[in-house]
Amino acid sequence: MLGLGFTALLRLAWLAATVPILVVSLPIRPVGFLHRMIMGFAARGKTMMNSSTQKFTVPQRYFLHFYWWSLALTTSLALSTWFYAYRKMVPLASESLSYSTVASHLIGGSHIFSSHKVSSTPMEHKYQVWRTVFVLLLMEVQVFRRLYETLNVFHYSPSARMHFLGYLTGLLYYTGAPLSLGISCASEALSYARDQIAEFIVKGRDRMPDLQIDWLELLKPLLYLGWCQWIGAVIFLWGWLHQLRCHAILGSLRENKGADEYVIPYGDWFRYVSCPHYLAEIIIYFGILVASGGSDITIWLLFMFVVSNLTFAAAETHRWYHHKFENYPKTRRAIIPFVY
């Protein structure tokens, strides 16, 4: 019951965070004040031009806190879930499956909008646990790269700030994202780890069985996941590589530049949009959504928040570029090539 309650709380949180952003994005006059308020909280770096909010800001380099925390949380969830899957959820390939079960896992799981739900079999549950391990590993790769870039690629201006509420939102997001990916089996995985620790404390090291890890068996179940997981991984990698390249371009603009000097970025997807790194992030999370099987509404709500938040931020950044540079390329869109 506790797990179900926490899942409902996560879903409500993603909805509560997404709806205001969608509302302020609509061209309706009454939301103008709400738009300015959210923009004040969400603005950072070059888009933070309202001096009246400077006293409620923190350095933009505090992005580092997001990634250290998320890396620790994601690693803990991934390792505990992987350990649980390795000890309790194998083998996968050697067990017989009905045709319907095989078909379900080839496409990554039952559809979220299915009109009827069938209780999962032990075999289906095993696949669900290993899918969770898979998407948490994808998240781990993403967060680790973002941490590296914050330390070694980006050169934040001393004057670059972000609103304190935006900072808190970032911490909450990088807490909620890995929890949303692992929520389907996190409680049982953590319970298993807790029981193992308790047994170790009670029995002592000498009375505990030796823990022998077969590294091939540790990785093999991931190879038996459905095509949906590997298609999602390819989509993830496509966005991941482009974001890596776009961040390198943005990082190079700050090198040998004055503290508050900005230039127009060129290269890679900057040819088409003002914020290709945001577009790549959306693709990354779409890949994670596909790899998850698309059967958990919590991950859909996470993805909806990512899309709405980054689309809103891209529109503001695009507007800033046009005000800052008279020669800004007219053919560039904000985030979706040729469309928006």
Side-chain angles (χ1 to χ4, degrees), residues 43-51 53-63 155-163 254 257-262 320 324:
R44 56 184 181 265
K46 56 181 172 287
T47 60
M48 177 166 279
M49 296 178 290
N50 187 354
S51 60
T53 61
Q54 289 295 313
K55 58 184 177 181
F56 302 113
T57 63
V58 296
Q60 193 177 356
R61 65 177 182 274
Y62 281 12
F63 268 114
H155 307 276
Y156 293 114
S157 165
S159 62
R161 314 284 295 181
M162 61 178 166
H163 199 281
R254 181 58 57 186
K257 300 294 180 183
D260 295 305
E261 183 179 351
Y262 290 97
W320 181 91
K324 179 71 174 179

Side-chain angles (χ1 to χ4, degrees), residues 75-95:
T75 301
S76 299
L77 286 171
L79 289 180
S80 59
T81 307
W82 204 348
F83 179 67
Y84 172 66
Y86 174 68
R87 295 296 296 272
K88 306 294 287 186
M89 298 291 156
V90 291
L92 290 183
S94 62
E95 298 187 25

Side-chain angles (χ1 to χ4, degrees), residues 207-225:
R207 297 175 60 189
M208 289 289 291
D210 292 334
L211 178 61
Q212 297 179 345
I213 297 178
D214 185 328
W215 295 101
L216 181 61
E217 292 298 324
L218 188 66
L219 297 172
K220 187 186 296 184
L222 297 174
L223 301 178
Y224 293 112
L225 295 174

Side-chain angles (χ1 to χ4, degrees), residues 245-267:
R245 174 59 179 157
C246 292
H247 281 170
I249 292 171
L250 289 173
S252 68
L253 298 180
R254 181 58 57 186
E255 295 176 355
N256 303 319
K257 300 294 180 183
D260 295 305
E261 183 179 351
Y262 290 97
V263 297
I264 301 174
Y266 291 95

Side-chain angles (χ1 to χ4, degrees), residues 145 148-149 152-155 240-255 265-268 270 276-277:
R145 198 204 76 233
Y148 171 81
E149 290 172 337
N152 299 288
V153 176
F154 292 121
H155 307 276
W240 193 91
L241 290 173
H242 277 285
Q243 190 177 62
L244 176 69
R245 174 59 179 157
C246 292
H247 281 170
I249 292 171
L250 289 173
S252 68
L253 298 180
R254 181 58 57 186
E255 295 176 355
Y266 291 95
D268 201 74
F270 280 105
H277 49 311

